[in-house]
Amino acid sequence: MQIVQGSLKCVKVESRSLTYDATAEGKELTLSYDFLVMATGLHRLWPVVPKALSYEQYVADAEAHVAGIEQAEGKSVIVIGGGKYRIFS
């Protein structure tokens, strides 16, 4: 899994690609994708999806979702946005 940070410039649905200003590189880059998720953001009180009743269950649910994504070999998924987040320790 690769995480990139930047500002979206253009989505080209017909060619399944997007252009963004890469924060770390300081330049404009292009990515291609198989699936695109536009997550415009939503702020909810903890716990957010997945709905868990404890921090431990929330972490277990999140890890299961990540494992499912990692098993999608040969496919690329781009998530734009994602809303607010918080790390609990």
Side-chain angles (χ1 to χ4, degrees):
M1 179 184 309
Q2 177 186 11
I3 298 175
V4 297
Q5 184 176 11
S7 298
L8 182 66
K9 301 291 281 182
C10 176
V11 175
K12 297 177 183 172
V13 177
E14 61 283 346
S15 64
R16 291 186 174 184
S17 65
L18 61 84
T19 305
Y20 71 101
D21 284 333
T23 302
E25 291 84 0
K27 59 183 174 181
E28 189 173 283
L29 297 176
T30 299
L31 291 174
S32 59
Y33 60 86
D34 293 306
F35 301 97
L36 175 66
V37 177
M38 296 291 287
T40 58
L42 175 67
H43 180 69
R44 296 183 189 167
L45 297 177
W46 186 88
V48 294
V49 174
K51 291 287 186 187
L53 298 177
S54 70
Y55 173 75
E56 291 77 17
Q57 186 60 49
Y58 176 83
V59 171
D61 290 350
E63 287 174 346
H65 286 290
V66 170
I69 293 169
E70 289 174 341
Q71 291 177 6
E73 291 184 40
K75 301 287 183 183
S76 59
V77 178
I78 293 178
V79 177
I80 298 172
K84 296 181 179 184
Y85 64 91
R86 180 182 292 175
I87 299 172
F88 295 89
S89 58

